[in-house]
Amino acid sequence: MIQKLIANLQKKQADLKLGGGLKRIEKHKEKGKMTAWERIFYLLDEHSDYIEIGMFAGEGLYQEEGGCPNGGVAIVMGYVKGRICIVVSNDATVKAGAWFPIAAKKNLRAQEIAMENRIPIIYLVDSAGVYLPMQDEIFPDKEHFGRIFRNNAKMSSMGIPQISAIMGSCVAGGAYLPIMSDYAFIVEGTGSVFLAGSYLVKSSIGEVIDNETLGGAKTHTEISGVTDNKYPNDASCLDAIKNVIDKFGENETAKFSRIKAVKPSYPAEKIYDILPSDRTKPYNMLEIIKCIVDEDSMEEYKKDYGKTIICTLARIDGWAVGIVANQREIVKAKKPGNSTELQMGGVIYSDSADKAARFIMNCNQQKIPLVFFQDVSGFMVGSRSEHGGIIKDGAKMVNAMANSVVPKFTFIVGNSYGAGNYAMCGKAYDPRLIYAWPTSQLAVMSGAAAGKTLLQIQESALKAKGTSLTPDEENILLKTIEDRYNEQLSPYYAAARLWVDGIIDPKETRKVISMGIEAANHSPITERYNVGVIQT
């Protein structure tokens, strides 16, 4: 079953590389332009690793508008002249590269990654600007389109390099993005940049002028000085970007520990055998970890205490990490008086929350990046847990994690439910990167639990009106509720809305962590670790 999920993922990835489809790609290339992905691959170092950011953004959204695959923009973290960078490439085969709400959110995420890690960002601009029918969802708010230019200014003040290439349309407010960059290049014949195009100029002030004269390459390199240099085609413009990046000096690093990498104990493909196809069945998360970390590098923390969470130091591709992972096996916990208690895998108990909080604090003190592997149903409930103070122990773990100053990386392996998502560093807690596996589910609770809860609510409402459901009606309503809820559990539903940075084959996890820490290492830790008031 897991292999089927991987095959489905790979098919979806291949389809997304086609952007707006083969016909639109043909029309795009007839203009002498590379596609968004051709530009990226030409720019990146040959045969080097890269990570895609927000691949499934927009999937299933805006169907009444014709859809917006990949959010209309391809974004990667990869290597240009040996230097790790973020590359943002508008896909003009999708609605002429117009900005939908999800496109703005995706671009902001790219900038956030560049800012957090202090790494260069490259914009390959080819966009018709804001998608006007949805302007009210893109234009005015704090996390909308205008925030991008605010980030341009902030990155400039932080000394983060920004390079732009105008390779197609660049209009209205979007014109500020390349021009607020440190370098602004333009391609002759295809690139143009102006606040208002020729039609709007004519309707506004009556001036008749063509777009090339108004804001083409010759105009802006020879007359206005808005852009730096013009180039005859996409390839020569991209070569110029590489030549600039090749000259960058080195900045101070965070100095995270790295030694020579060692291969994991098991091949990454063994993960497919360890993970059960039935997500309710137990498995040993330690075996998953051994497929990812360098062999013989693990040093487990308090392994006989708080056993539903695994805390261990390790190395991944040579980088030192602190791993916090949900154990999915049923474990025996020792209690006072030499008694034992069975604890359910995937559930956070008081002892495991207490252990994880202390481990997270240790990693912050010792400048060790944190990696979270989520397969969590939530915190333990019931009178015994409540009387034992599960809320304060959970609060302690959330506090220690939320205030972390070391970079955090999160992977959703299986379940990611409720407050468990929060405690295990969900999107709200600023992981540098967060990816889901195809086996994951993300929601407040499981579909079965939610279905029964929502059914009870509806039954109570009907009862208050003096009516009730027959058993058959109950079953039909329950199935309707569960089907709708289960669709929302899908990792693709989460990825479409950028609740995660994407969905990856589990064997890609090691690469994502290694590149993520390499990027994070460019940003020295200057903030003091301070958890404030800890619940005791």
Side-chain angles (χ1 to χ4, degrees):
M1 176 182 170
I2 292 170
Q3 281 83 350
K4 282 186 180 179
L5 293 175
I6 301 296
N8 183 48
L9 169 65
Q10 291 169 344
K11 183 182 182 304
K12 284 176 175 283
Q13 289 172 332
D15 290 344
L16 283 174
K17 289 287 196 298
L18 297 176
L22 291 173
K23 285 187 178 179
R24 287 179 181 164
I25 287 174
E26 284 175 20
K27 286 184 178 179
H28 181 87
K29 292 175 80 69
E30 283 170 7
K31 299 173 185 176
K33 298 161 75 172
M34 293 180 178
T35 66
W37 276 104
E38 284 173 342
R39 289 166 178 165
I40 286 173
F41 290 135
Y42 187 93
L43 191 60
L44 296 180
D45 295 345
E46 197 172 0
H47 305 306
S48 64
D49 285 332
Y50 70 92
I51 302 167
E52 187 167 355
I53 310 292
M55 172 179 271
F56 293 98
E59 181 170 278
L61 304 181
Y62 319 120
Q63 292 305 305
E64 66 283 359
E65 306 290 338
C68 185
N70 210 4
V73 56
I75 299 175
V76 302
M77 178 191 288
Y79 298 93
V80 180
K81 288 293 182 177
R83 183 179 291 266
I84 200 162
C85 301
I86 295 290
V87 183
V88 179
S89 183
N90 294 122
D91 190 344
T93 71
V94 178
K95 297 286 187 182
W99 293 65
F100 281 71
I102 198 66
K105 187 174 183 180
K106 185 170 175 178
N107 277 266
L108 287 169
R109 177 61 177 148
Q111 290 183 319
E112 180 182 41
I113 293 170
M115 292 167 80
E116 285 180 330
N117 298 296
R118 292 180 174 267
I119 58 176
I121 185 166
I122 301 162
Y123 308 101
L124 308 180
V125 184
D126 193 346
S127 171
V130 165
Y131 184 65
L132 287 175
M134 303 186 76
Q135 64 85 26
D136 62 319
E137 298 179 46
I138 307 167
F139 167 65
D141 210 347
K142 181 178 178 180
E143 301 300 332
H144 284 177
F145 194 55
R147 187 77 171 181
I148 291 165
F149 317 130
R150 175 264 189 195
N151 287 349
N152 287 140
K154 286 289 185 182
M155 280 191 276
S156 183
S157 73
M158 294 167 69
I160 297 169
Q162 299 175 83
I163 304 176
S164 288
I166 300 162
M167 313 184 90
S169 298
C170 183
V171 299
Y176 287 105
L177 184 148
I179 309 311
M180 292 183 76
S181 300
D182 303 312
Y183 295 86
F185 301 149
I186 189 166
V187 178
E188 293 181 276
T190 57
S192 59
V193 55
F194 32 65
L195 293 181
S198 56
Y199 293 130
L200 185 54
V201 167
K202 183 178 180 181
S203 65
S204 298
I205 63 172
E207 182 183 3
V208 178
I209 190 170
D210 65 88
N211 281 339
E212 185 64 27
T213 306
L214 181 66
K218 285 180 71 97
T219 295
H220 284 312
T221 55
E222 298 177 15
I223 301 172
S224 72
V226 165
T227 56
D228 303 333
N229 290 311
K230 61 181 183 291
Y231 300 90
N233 51 45
D234 283 7
S236 58
C237 187
L238 295 169
D239 285 335
I241 292 174
K242 291 193 240 187
N243 284 335
V244 168
I245 288 179
D246 190 44
K247 312 300 186 296
F248 287 172
E250 294 294 331
N251 293 322
E252 186 183 351
T253 66
K255 297 181 173 60
F256 298 126
S257 172
R258 191 181 199 186
I259 62 174
K260 186 178 178 181
V262 177
K263 287 184 178 180
S265 301
Y266 306 142
E269 289 79 6
K270 189 174 172 64
I271 292 171
Y272 308 153
D273 300 323
I274 298 168
L275 271 178
S277 54
D278 182 349
R279 297 299 301 115
T280 63
K281 288 187 176 178
Y283 65 90
N284 188 348
M285 180 65 87
L286 271 172
E287 295 297 291
I288 297 280
I289 294 171
K290 288 177 183 176
C291 299
I292 297 166
V293 304
D294 294 9
E295 187 172 16
D296 295 329
S297 67
M298 291 200 328
E299 186 60 42
E300 199 170 344
Y301 178 75
K302 292 183 184 284
K303 67 179 180 179
D304 296 321
Y305 175 74
K307 291 191 277 189
T308 64
I309 288 185
I310 297 163
C311 296
T312 183
L313 298 175
R315 289 193 181 271
I316 294 177
D317 199 29
W319 292 104
V321 296
I323 294 172
V324 181
N326 301 112
Q327 176 58 282
R328 276 296 306 273
E329 287 188 325
I330 296 171
V331 300
K332 287 183 179 179
K334 288 282 182 72
K335 295 297 173 183
N338 208 28
S339 63
T340 59
E341 173 189 65
L342 286 180
Q343 294 183 342
M344 292 183 288
V347 176
I348 303 174
Y349 291 76
S350 283
D351 54 357
S352 49
D354 177 63
K355 176 175 84 170
R358 174 65 181 271
F359 179 73
I360 289 166
M361 288 188 274
N362 280 355
C363 288
N364 274 273
Q365 291 278 45
Q366 293 137 24
K367 287 180 64 173
I368 302 171
L370 286 161
V371 179
F372 294 82
F373 290 107
Q374 291 193 10
D375 194 344
V376 58
S377 303
F379 287 87
M380 190 58 191
V381 297
S383 60
R384 184 170 179 177
S385 291
E386 298 291 0
H387 297 171
I390 185 65
I391 295 175
K392 70 178 182 181
D393 290 319
K396 180 168 31 175
M397 180 179 173
V398 170
N399 192 330
M401 179 274 302
N403 282 301
S404 288
V405 295
V406 295
K408 306 185 292 275
F409 303 89
T410 301
F411 298 87
I412 304 175
V413 173
N415 303 329
S416 181
Y417 295 155
N421 168 279
Y422 301 160
M424 294 294 294
C425 194
K427 183 69 182 290
Y429 293 86
D430 302 316
R432 296 290 175 96
L433 295 171
I434 176 169
Y435 283 88
W437 290 3
T439 48
S440 63
Q441 294 186 328
L442 183 68
V444 170
M445 62 183 77
S446 71
K452 289 171 185 174
T453 303
L454 291 168
L455 179 63
Q456 288 174 25
I457 291 169
Q458 294 209 22
E459 284 179 327
S460 296
L462 289 169
K463 202 171 185 180
K465 295 177 182 177
T467 60
S468 59
L469 297 172
T470 66
D472 284 346
E473 288 173 332
E474 274 188 19
N475 289 334
I476 292 169
L477 181 56
L478 180 61
K479 186 178 186 309
T480 301
I481 292 168
E482 286 186 353
D483 286 349
R484 185 173 67 245
Y485 197 88
N486 284 333
E487 180 186 344
Q488 296 175 3
L489 281 169
S490 164
Y492 294 100
Y493 190 92
R497 291 154 180 80
L498 287 175
W499 300 344
V500 294
D501 290 320
I503 304 166
I504 58 168
D505 185 327
K507 68 182 183 182
E508 299 290 302
T509 304
R510 181 174 161 93
K511 177 188 77 176
V512 172
I513 295 169
S514 179
M515 286 185 67
I517 298 176
E518 182 181 348
N521 199 41
H522 287 81
S523 181
I525 297 172
T526 56
E527 186 181 356
R528 176 175 164 266
Y529 184 52
N530 180 10
V531 294
V533 177
I534 282 281
Q535 298 297 320
T536 57

